[in-house]
Each structure stands twice: as C-alpha cells, then as structure tokens.
Amino acid sequence: MIPYQSISILPELEARNLRQHRVARSLRRPSRVYTDTTDFTAIDYGDVIAVEGRYFLITSYTKEGRFGVDEQIKPWVPKVVDLATLAHYILKLEFKETFTMRLGRFAVTCYRSPEKEARILKLVQGHPNFMQGETLVDAVGNKVRVLVPVAGNRLDKVIHTGSSHHDYFRDELPGILSRFLGCLEGIAFLHHHGFRHGDIRRDHVFVDRDTGQFYWIDFDYDFHLPEKPFALDLFELGNILLYLTGRGDFHPREILADPSLGEAVAHSLVPGDFSLLARNRVVNLRKLFPYIPDSLNNILRHFSAGTEVFYETVEEIHADLATVVRQLTR
C-alpha cells in the first residue's frame, strides 16, 4: 500500500495555499499527502494530512512538558495549518501506550484512549473550561483530533513571577485559586458524565493571555481502578493545588538549600507531612510557610501519607476551596 500520495490530489485552493506557504518557509523537500496516519513517525514537517476532505499542512510539533523533558518533540501531536482557511490547529494522531503507577496500596493501569478523548471533545463543546476541538477519521479509521489552540501559556509557567512567596500568596494566589475553582467544576462535569480526565497535571491547564480563563487540555489518558474509579483524578487535583499554593514542589533537598527554611524546618518534617503519591514531596506546607491558613493547609493534608480522611468527590474539594477563597479575598 502506498503510504502517501502526490500533492496533485489537493483541490485548487489548498494547492495554491500550499505553494505560497512553501515559498514563504523555503521548504526544499516536496510535500507528501497522507490519508493514513497510522505510521505517524513517517509524517514530517511540510507534509499534508488529508482527512474527511480537509487538508492540514504540518508546520511544527508540540513538545513534552513534564519530567524535565520540555524539548522532547511529540511526533503524534503536530501543529498544522488548514490549507483551505489558513487557520491554525493542533492535531492528535492515534498513539497507544500503557503503563502502571502506584496509588497507595493500589496498582493503577493507565492507557491512552483516542476514543475516550473524541467522546470528551464532543461532550465539552462550548464548555468554558476545556480546550475545544472535533474528531475526524482518516482513510483507515484512525481518529484524528483537531484541536483549537489556546492563546496563552501553561499555568505552571504563568505563576512564576519575581515576587517573594509571601507577596505571591497575598497578592496573586487568591485570584488564581478563584479561577481554579472553574477547573474543579470542569472535572466535576466530566465525572458526572462518567468520564475521567486521566492525566491531570499542572501543564495540562492553560491560561488565556487575554481573559485569564483556565482551560483543561489533553484528555486521551484513562485509567483502570474499579475500587476507586475517580481517585487518581482527585489526587492529581491535589497535586496541582499543592503546586499553586507553594508556587513549586518542595522536597527535603530544596528545603535544606533554602536559607529561609533550612535544617530546622527539614528536621521538623515527619512521614505524615509528605505526599501519598510522591513520598518525598512535602504536603504540609504550613511548616514551610506559617502564614498559610489552616483551612487551606487542611485541604492539602487530605493528600498526605498521614491522612485518615480522603476526598471522595471533586465537589467536596470545591466546597472547601471555595470557603478558603472567600477567606483570602475578604
């Protein structure tokens, strides 16, 4: 089977726009038109993906945003231009992977599901806290998700300013937490319809640079944990809230290296002060920043190794955090 076709199959408008784009970008290799996206590693910058009568020119690729590999290209998530409208999109091509992680005593199987993401994109059409998009199907049945980019940046990039933590906590965090309540409402919406986000991370919340609106992105991961079907989403929400409150993650080595904290704080920590998911990450932030109110710190401690009470629903987290926001904004 021929993996790609000549650009001669393009309609007149799309062919003209492709020629103009190639001149502007000085592309040297002839473009190839792919109707089958199964082998996405063979599709390269300057190629065209043809799906359901639409033609998308690959202009660049998105990059991984976690585990310190910000520069690792994701070949299954190209940035594209629609050759008919010249609108910019992000495509997600089918990529299957499975891995296992620990949640306390549970082994959680996590996997990518393009089908699940396609269903969520349809469900959240018009919802203010989700990236928007649609799903098209290529010539062999692969689900190609066409996503509208958010004009902004990742939440974890936005909150890092030059101010001290005290100033950040006083001046910026109340507004951030107020907008994060909308993110919690979005996840509650998914759970109400039987879906999990599956990959809740601080780099999967984007902030619109003009409106400040928070958006969830990246919904293709899912997990299998029948004993507690939404538990991983809840704990990962706790991780984001922990990061927002501390404006970073804190481990013993950072605490020892920080002259404002140092050995006295590090030696005061006990096993119950650390995260249930990441046993070297401090959750009891009040030991680091005494001005954090108990009401907020108690939310964080629900996600610690020492907790005896767990959140069962997003609505419970939302109710407690809404109370904290009211206190901080008085």
Side-chain angles (χ1 to χ4, degrees), residues 126-143:
H127 195 290
N129 289 109
F130 291 92
M131 172 183 266
Q132 300 292 290
E134 62 180 313
T135 303
L136 305 178
V137 180
D138 75 9
V140 298
N142 293 310
K143 289 179 170 56

Side-chain angles (χ1 to χ4, degrees), residues 267-296:
H267 292 159
S268 74
L269 298 172
V270 297
D273 292 330
F274 292 86
S275 168
L276 181 64
L277 282 181
R279 294 302 180 96
N280 66 339
R281 182 184 300 161
V282 177
V283 169
N284 188 0
L285 291 184
R286 189 169 166 81
K287 285 192 173 181
L288 281 61
F289 308 109
Y291 44 83
I292 293 178
D294 284 332
S295 56
L296 177 54

Side-chain angles (χ1 to χ4, degrees), residues 65-217:
R66 62 174 173 174
F67 304 142
V69 287
D70 283 2
E71 298 306 311
Q72 181 175 317
I73 288 175
K74 297 194 287 189
W76 67 95
V77 192
K79 297 180 180 181
V80 300
V81 171
D82 185 321
L83 287 174
T85 65
L86 298 183
H88 291 261
Y89 296 100
I90 296 171
L91 298 189
K92 289 187 73 174
L93 310 178
E94 287 209 13
F95 173 41
K96 303 291 183 66
E97 66 173 340
T98 302
F99 64 93
T100 301
M101 67 173 295
R102 301 295 306 184
L103 178 60
R105 61 186 177 88
F106 298 106
V108 184
T109 300
C110 305
Y111 55 92
R112 288 189 186 273
S113 173
E115 295 80 11
K116 173 243 188 182
E117 184 167 55
R119 293 168 65 194
I120 287 181
L121 285 172
K122 185 176 181 180
L123 173 68
V124 302
Q125 284 292 324
H127 195 290
N129 289 109
F130 291 92
M131 172 183 266
Q132 300 292 290
E134 62 180 313
T135 303
L136 305 178
V137 180
D138 75 9
V140 298
N142 293 310
K143 289 179 170 56
V144 178
R145 285 133 291 156
V146 183
L147 307 173
V148 180
V150 176
N153 207 346
R154 291 166 25 183
L155 176 58
D156 58 334
K157 301 289 188 181
V158 170
I159 68 171
H160 283 281
T161 62
S163 61
S164 68
H165 181 272
H166 183 271
D167 290 345
Y168 162 79
F169 186 87
R170 181 192 61 202
D171 301 331
E172 300 175 47
L173 185 62
I176 290 170
L177 295 182
S178 179
R179 285 177 285 164
F180 187 64
L181 287 172
C183 290
L184 296 178
E185 292 162 10
I187 299 302
F189 177 76
L190 291 186
H191 290 184
H192 177 73
H193 286 85
F195 289 103
R196 296 169 286 263
H197 183 289
D199 197 17
I200 289 175
R201 301 172 358 201
R202 60 182 182 265
D203 60 305
H204 283 170
V205 179
F206 266 62
V207 183
D208 186 288
R209 70 169 60 95
D210 295 322
T211 67
Q213 180 73 21
F214 288 7
Y215 294 88
W216 287 112
I217 69 168

